[in-house]
């Protein structure tokens, strides 16, 4: 089966995710509250979809629900750490740091499931990371100040959480491929609880003063950046190699640049445009036709064989 469909699904999910930062900026609500509300609103939208899936394909297994809850903890940590890192090192550099997921995802798959890492991915990885650093403005940044170490640590924790979430959901979904919405609902509920728990140590949740306009953007964030994005990514990622999924998701900051320029009139610098081009070239090179033929879509329901 062609991998064009799954790859397009992941890219469509990345496009939805790339709109998240724009919607967060337009909502103008504090980071902790935004992290919790995007998940809570998404759960409300996912429940009827999950019930419909349950009626058609049966309930998610207890093991599948458990994996989804653990994955949701990783996602909640990702949201909480990433939003906090913005206030220490800025949105650009925090976006660079979170993309350590491109390493975390295939590394976890290699260590846990013994999945092979393609040589082309290894060769193009430095170009991908260089491009992401240029897109994030890392090379244009002046002295970051005293909070740089804390912000860098938070950004890396967010990236690890992001990669762990992708790995855990891909692993769980591959065992029950007919059930996509139920595990996402469990994971999103778990992420909401995790983000809320963390918010208790970072200033709390503030619901008063949120305007109807802000609520509208928060609903759009939940539906587009959570429900639509992750359903698309989950659908495509179980049919692709982990390195391929991680690389395709690197398109997200490139798309975010384009949306920011169009909607917020934030025009990219020359180095950011160069970085975007580097990412596009590296992703195309690492995922050209034939890259993952060894991993057939028809075999996603069972883990890959262990290599001696």
């Amino acid at each position: 089966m062609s991998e064009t469909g799954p790859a397009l699904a992941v890219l469509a999910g990345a496009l939805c995710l790339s709109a998240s930062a724009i919607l967060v900026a337009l909502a103008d609500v504090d980071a902790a509250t935004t992290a919790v509300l995007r998940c809570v609103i998404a759960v409300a939208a996912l429940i009827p979809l999950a019930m419909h899936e349950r009626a058609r394909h049966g309930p998610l297994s207890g093991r599948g629900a458990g994996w989804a809850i653990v994955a949701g903890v990783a996602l909640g940590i990702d949201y909480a750490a990433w939003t906090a890192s913005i206030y220490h090192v800025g949105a650009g550099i925090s976006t660079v740091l979170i993309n350590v997921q491109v390493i975390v995802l295939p590394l976890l798959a290699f260590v846990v499931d013994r999945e092979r890492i393609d040589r082309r991915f290894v060769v193009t990885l430095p170009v991908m990371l260089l491009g992401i650093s240029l897109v994030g403005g890392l090379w244009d940044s002046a002295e970051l100040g005293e909070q740089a170490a804390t912000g860098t640590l938070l950004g890396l924790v967010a990236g690890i959480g992001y990669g762990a979430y992708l790995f855990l959901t891909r692993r769980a979904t591959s065992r029950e491929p007919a059930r996509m919405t139920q595990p996402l609902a469990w994971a999103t509920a778990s992420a909401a609880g995790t983000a809320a728990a963390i918010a208790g140590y970072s200033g709390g949740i503030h619901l008063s003063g949120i305007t109807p306009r802000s609520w509208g953007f928060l609903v759009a964030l939940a539906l587009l950046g959570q429900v639509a994005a992750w359903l698309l990514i989950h659908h495509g990622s179980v049919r692709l190699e982990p390195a391929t999924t991680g690389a395709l998701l690197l398109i997200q900051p490139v798309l975010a640049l384009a949306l920011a320029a169009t909607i917020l009139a934030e025009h990219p610098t020359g180095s950011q445009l160069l970085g975007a081009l580097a990412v596009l070239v590296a992703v195309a090179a690492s995922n050209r036709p034939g890259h993952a033929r060894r991993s057939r879509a028809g075999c996603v329901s069972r883990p890959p064989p262990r290599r001696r």
Side-chain angles (χ1 to χ4, degrees):
M1 181 182 295
S2 171
E3 291 198 345
T4 302
L8 288 176
V10 172
L11 287 173
L15 175 60
C16 293
L17 284 178
S18 68
S20 296
I22 307 298
L23 293 170
V24 168
L26 293 172
D28 194 25
V29 178
D30 71 271
T33 303
T34 298
V36 174
L37 288 181
R38 71 180 293 180
C39 295
V40 171
I41 297 170
V43 169
L46 285 167
I47 286 176
L49 296 176
M51 291 178 65
H52 176 69
E53 181 184 84
R54 178 188 175 99
R56 289 191 60 188
H57 302 292
L60 183 68
S61 67
R63 183 176 183 180
W67 277 112
I69 291 171
V70 174
V73 172
L75 184 63
I77 293 172
D78 165 27
Y79 284 159
W82 180 69
T83 50
S85 72
I86 294 173
Y87 295 99
H88 292 277
V89 294
I93 293 178
S94 64
T95 301
V96 173
L97 295 171
I98 200 174
N99 279 282
V100 299
Q101 62 83 12
V102 75
I103 302 172
V104 174
L105 176 57
L107 183 60
L108 282 173
F110 173 74
V111 172
V112 178
D113 290 333
R114 295 294 189 267
E115 293 198 29
R116 180 179 178 273
I117 298 178
D118 192 270
R119 183 173 61 182
R120 269 181 289 182
F121 173 79
V122 176
V123 171
T124 58
L125 178 60
V127 180
M128 294 182 200
L129 296 180
L130 175 61
I132 288 295
S133 69
L134 288 169
V135 169
L138 182 62
W139 303 101
D140 295 328
S141 299
E143 185 66 30
L144 295 179
E146 297 179 357
Q147 296 185 341
T150 301
T152 299
L153 179 60
L154 286 168
L156 292 174
V157 168
I160 293 170
Y162 186 19
Y165 172 74
L166 291 171
F167 169 73
L168 290 169
T169 52
R170 177 184 180 274
R171 198 168 193 260
T173 306
S174 67
R175 286 165 168 77
E176 300 182 64
R179 298 167 182 84
M180 295 279 180
T181 311
Q182 293 178 76
L184 180 58
W186 280 107
T188 304
S190 176
T194 302
I198 295 174
Y201 298 94
S202 60
I205 302 170
H206 307 284
L207 299 178
S208 61
I210 301 179
T211 65
R213 177 179 180 274
S214 295
W215 276 112
F217 285 121
L218 288 171
V219 170
L221 172 65
L223 297 181
L224 187 64
Q226 185 70 20
V227 177
W230 290 117
L231 283 177
L232 286 165
I233 292 171
H234 291 176
H235 175 75
S237 65
V238 297
R239 296 165 175 82
L240 297 171
E241 291 184 354
T244 302
T245 299
L248 290 172
L249 287 175
L250 285 178
I251 296 296
Q252 178 190 341
V254 178
L255 296 173
L257 273 179
L259 289 174
T262 303
I263 300 173
L264 301 178
E266 295 180 357
H267 300 294
T269 64
S271 61
Q272 286 177 313
L273 290 175
L274 179 61
L277 178 62
V279 171
L280 290 172
V281 170
V283 169
S286 65
N287 295 286
R288 66 181 184 267
H291 166 247
R293 289 176 181 170
R294 287 178 296 274
S295 179
R296 300 190 312 172
C299 299
V300 296
S301 60
R302 57 180 182 271
R306 293 185 174 272
R307 297 180 180 273
R308 296 183 182 275

